[in-house]
Amino acid sequence: MGNTQQRVAVVTGGSRGIGRQVVRWLAVEGFAVVVGYANDADQAGLAVKEIVEAGRRAIAVRADVADETAVAALFDRAEQAYGGVDVVVHAAARTSLAPIADLDLAELDDLHRTNVRGTFVVNQQAARRVRAGGAIVNFSSSDVALAPVGHAAYAASKAAVEAITLILARELRGRDVTVNAVAPGPTATDLFFDGKDEETIAHLAAQPPLQRLGTPEDIAEIVTFLASPAARWVNGQVLRANGGIA
C-alpha cells in the first residue's frame, strides 16, 4: 500500500479530547491517520469508523507512549499500512493537580513517565522516521507561563516538552522537518471538566479577553495549520493558544 502521494499522520492520544479532534481535522485535510491510544479501544475504534465512513483512511494502534518498544511498533504499523510517516502529533498526556507540599511522589513519577518520557520516546521515533517536508507537533500547556497554584508537577512536565521541542527542531537541521509545540489554555474537554465545580469553570472561562473556554476545534485547527505547507516557515516555536490570557 506504499502510496507516496498519500500524506500520513500519527496522532497519539487520538481517541478522545483534543487528539480526537486533531484526527478529524487531519483526515478532512486528506491525511491517512494512525490513531494511537493507550486504553480506550472503543473510542479509538469509533474515531477510525467515523473517518472510514467519510471515505478516508485510518487505523487504530494501541501503544503506551513511554514504552519505546510499543512506540516503535506503532510507527512500524504506520509505515506498513501507508508507506511512511509525514506528520506526528503527540497529544497523549496525563495530569495530576496538587500543591507541591501535598503531591504524592508516585503521582509525580507516573505523570512524568507519560508526559516527559512519553514525549521523548515519541519524538525519538519521529526524528528517525518523519519524511522530508513533514512536521512534528507536541503539546505543551499555557500553565508553563501562567504558573497556576497546584499545577507544579504538570507544568514542569510541559516545560520539559517545550525544551524537547526546541532542541529537536535544531537537531533536525537539513532534514526539512519542522518541530513545534502548541500550548493550550483552558479547553473544554472531559479531562478539563473532571473534578471542577461550576464556579471554577466560570472563573477560568472569564480569564481570556475573548471570555470563553477554548474548544478542541480551536486547538485542532492550529495543529492542522502547523502540519500544513502553509506553516513551513514556522519552526522551533511554542504557540500559546489560550485566547489572550496574560
Side-chain angles (χ1 to χ4, degrees), residues 82-242:
Y82 300 124
V85 176
D86 301 287
V87 168
V88 175
V89 179
H90 179 49
R94 59 177 294 167
T95 186
S96 184
L97 306 181
I100 292 170
D102 300 332
L103 182 68
D104 183 332
L105 293 180
E107 278 289 309
L108 177 72
D109 291 342
D110 288 346
L111 185 147
H112 281 220
R113 181 181 182 276
T114 297
N115 293 6
V116 181
R117 180 183 170 87
T119 299
F120 201 100
V121 168
V122 171
N123 278 239
Q124 186 174 71
Q125 288 297 321
R128 294 170 179 173
R129 309 220 200 187
V130 170
R131 296 186 285 204
I136 300 167
V137 183
N138 291 318
F139 269 82
S140 179
S141 168
S142 286
D143 282 356
V144 174
L146 298 173
V149 171
H151 291 232
Y154 179 70
S157 74
K158 291 303 189 177
V161 171
E162 294 189 8
I164 292 166
T165 299
L166 301 185
I167 291 169
L168 184 57
R170 287 151 179 76
E171 290 182 349
L172 295 185
R173 175 180 291 273
R175 286 275 303 278
D176 189 25
V177 174
T178 62
V179 190
N180 296 288
V182 179
T187 304
T189 64
D190 290 341
L191 185 64
F192 168 80
F193 288 121
D194 186 33
K196 293 184 177 69
D197 58 29
E198 289 186 13
E199 183 180 359
T200 299
I201 292 167
H203 170 71
L204 291 169
Q207 286 184 331
L210 298 177
Q211 295 187 305
R212 66 173 176 85
L213 295 173
T215 67
E217 292 83 358
D218 289 327
I219 308 304
E221 287 190 82
I222 294 165
V223 173
T224 303
F225 165 69
L226 291 173
S228 76
R232 293 313 298 167
W233 201 234
V234 181
N235 191 27
Q237 304 298 315
V238 178
L239 201 164
R240 303 209 180 282
N242 59 31

Side-chain angles (χ1 to χ4, degrees), residues 1-4 6-9 32-34 57-59 77-85 131:
M1 293 177 66
N3 179 5
T4 57
Q6 172 78 78
R7 297 195 78 206
V8 181
V33 183
V34 179
R57 304 171 80 185
I59 57 173
R77 184 76 180 91
E79 291 175 344
Q80 290 160 5
Y82 300 124
V85 176
R131 296 186 285 204

